[in-house]
Amino acid sequence: MQDTVTLGRPDDFHLHFRDGAAMASVVPFTARQFGRALVMPNLKPPVTTVAMAADYRDRILRSVPLDTPFSPLMALYLTDGTTVEEVARVADSDFVHAFKYYPAGATTNSESGVTSLSKIYPVLEVMQRLGVVLCIHGEVTDPTTDVFDREALFVEGSLQQIARDFPVLKMVVEHITTKEAADFVVASGANVAATITPQHLLYNRTSIFTGGIRPHFYCLPILKRETHRQALLKTATSGSAKFFLGTDSAPHAKNSKEACCGAAGCFTSHAALELYADAFDSVGALDKLDDFASRFGAEFYGLPRNAGRLTLKRESWTPPDEYSFGGETIVPLTVGRSLSWKLL
Ligand code: DOR
Ligand code: ZN
């Protein structure tokens, strides 16, 4: 039995850091494991310009522990009002690497998102021409649509439409949760990729309701049925360069998760690689983890691979049930359970 696994220093291509004191609490977890992370722009107010991203990046860097070789990669929040000039500024920037498309109302802090696809056609045209990456939260927003169907319907509608009308646009379908999304990416050209979170590889929708309601399993897109989890696990471990690591670690204070209307988001950055190692190990595919975590994402974004290596050891351990989060606390996805892999 394999007892260690060594990886190139990995990248997290989808992450929420928040801001202020809360951010200062979570940045060190990511900096300990990853060389870079693509930081989501859904702050209040959202990060909509290269100038705002420069300020946010400086604030993040002040939270990175000394001697940690961690570099934040920034993404801008796409709105109905995003200008073609801003797209050109992103193309010229060496620290903004993508736009994030939130359909308005799809998830946390998406109120300023895109209200209709036709409104962003002029900027998509320029992104396609200049090679700027579009990261997509792929869910329809009609509140009457069953929450478990929202991703598949987005794939069938908006995503097919974007792919047809912008055939060489570089896009990343973020945090895919369904077989439909995985099949769409496989069937597309090399300009289309996807990130996969640890929770969608490890858990299914029944996990949310095991023995009672478990708010720390609630994220958007929501966990799906077991057949989808199996399809994602197969895809993530297939060796296809179109699928890479993006945790979507999305910290919320304990009292806003454990509430009558709990916030969406799973906090995983305290043990991100360990969670992925458990998932890959469950199907005997630890040999596929290095490319998924450290190579394919960097290649898609046209970045060099990070220097340095990390080793995980097979060792059972239980992460704390809570961590501090600014003046509050945060409960991780792993609450009440042990992991089988540990970062050395
Ligand atoms: O569960 C989620 N939480 N999904 C998202 O898309 C946003 C995120 C957040 O920012 O909390
Ligand atoms: Zn996210």
Side-chain angles (χ1 to χ4, degrees):
M1 182 151 73
Q2 184 177 349
D3 284 325
T4 61
V5 53
T6 297
L7 313 173
R9 193 170 180 84
D11 296 310
D12 183 348
F13 276 104
H14 185 128
L15 177 65
H16 299 268
F17 269 155
R18 315 304 187 202
D19 211 343
M23 171 176 75
S25 301
V26 295
V27 166
F29 292 111
T30 294
R32 188 173 77 96
Q33 299 205 331
F34 294 95
R36 296 168 294 214
L38 185 65
V39 183
M40 291 298 121
N42 61 335
L43 304 182
K44 277 185 173 167
V47 181
T48 51
T49 64
V50 172
M52 290 174 85
D55 288 345
Y56 185 29
R57 181 172 178 273
D58 285 346
R59 298 197 296 279
I60 295 168
L61 284 171
R62 286 198 287 275
S63 300
V64 175
L66 292 174
D67 304 326
T68 311
F70 176 75
S71 177
L73 311 173
M74 308 311 289
L76 294 195
Y77 191 115
L78 189 65
T79 72
D80 290 350
T82 300
T83 63
V84 293
E85 290 78 17
E86 203 62 46
V87 178
R89 280 191 277 276
V90 168
D92 286 342
S93 164
D94 54 7
F95 59 89
V96 180
H97 294 269
F99 273 94
K100 177 67 187 283
Y101 166 19
Y102 289 105
T107 186
T108 311
N109 296 348
S110 65
E111 301 77 15
S112 315
V114 174
T115 61
S116 113
L117 202 44
S118 60
K119 296 217 164 108
I120 57 166
Y121 262 46
V123 291
L124 295 187
E125 192 71 53
V126 181
M127 281 184 212
Q128 172 169 258
R129 182 155 46 80
L130 300 180
V132 172
V133 174
L134 179 69
C135 297
I136 302 174
H137 182 110
E139 289 191 285
V140 299
T141 54
D142 176 354
T144 64
T145 301
D146 190 297
V147 69
F148 295 99
D149 295 338
R150 289 181 191 174
E151 182 176 281
L153 289 171
F154 186 90
V155 171
E156 192 180 297
S158 300
L159 209 47
Q160 294 281 8
Q161 185 187 328
I162 298 170
R164 185 190 66 228
D165 292 345
F166 302 95
V168 297
L169 175 66
K170 288 192 84 166
M171 49 183 174
V172 182
V173 192
E174 297 294 336
H175 41 55
I176 59 168
T177 66
T178 56
K179 181 171 186 317
E180 287 87 344
D183 288 348
F184 168 83
V185 173
V186 168
S188 301
N191 57 312
V192 180
T195 53
I196 309 183
T197 77
Q199 64 267 25
H200 293 104
L201 292 174
L202 287 165
Y203 301 112
N204 62 35
R205 66 190 195 177
T206 300
S207 311
I208 309 169
F209 307 105
T210 304
I213 191 151
R214 295 182 178 267
H216 302 291
F217 281 118
Y218 175 54
C219 64
L220 289 171
I222 199 160
L223 297 172
K224 303 298 191 298
R225 62 167 69 238
E226 177 64 8
T227 47
H228 293 289
R229 187 187 77 86
Q230 295 283 349
L232 293 175
L233 204 43
K234 195 167 165 207
T235 308
T237 59
S238 67
S240 163
K242 289 162 162 278
F243 299 92
F244 47 84
L245 188 156
T247 60
D248 197 17
S249 181
H252 289 274
K254 176 179 176 168
N255 61 6
S256 59
K257 293 282 298 170
E258 299 178 3
C260 64
C261 185
C266 301
F267 177 66
T268 54
S269 54
H270 66 301
L273 286 177
E274 292 90 335
L275 287 160
Y276 281 109
D278 271 2
F280 277 57
D281 194 19
S282 72
V283 288
L286 282 169
D287 59 319
K288 297 292 197 305
L289 186 56
D290 188 19
D291 283 346
F292 177 83
S294 325
R295 181 173 149 215
F296 294 151
E299 284 178 358
F300 185 83
Y301 278 92
L303 296 166
R305 293 187 66 179
N306 295 313
R309 298 184 81 67
L310 298 177
T311 298
L312 291 145
K313 182 169 175 268
R314 188 184 295 280
E315 181 184 317
S316 178
W317 66 291
T318 305
D321 284 352
E322 290 186 7
Y323 292 94
S324 77
F325 186 52
E328 309 189 78
T329 59
I330 188 168
V331 179
L333 176 81
T334 50
V335 60
R337 54 199 73 214
S338 63
L339 293 165
S340 309
W341 288 88
K342 190 158 193 215
L343 191 63
L344 287 181

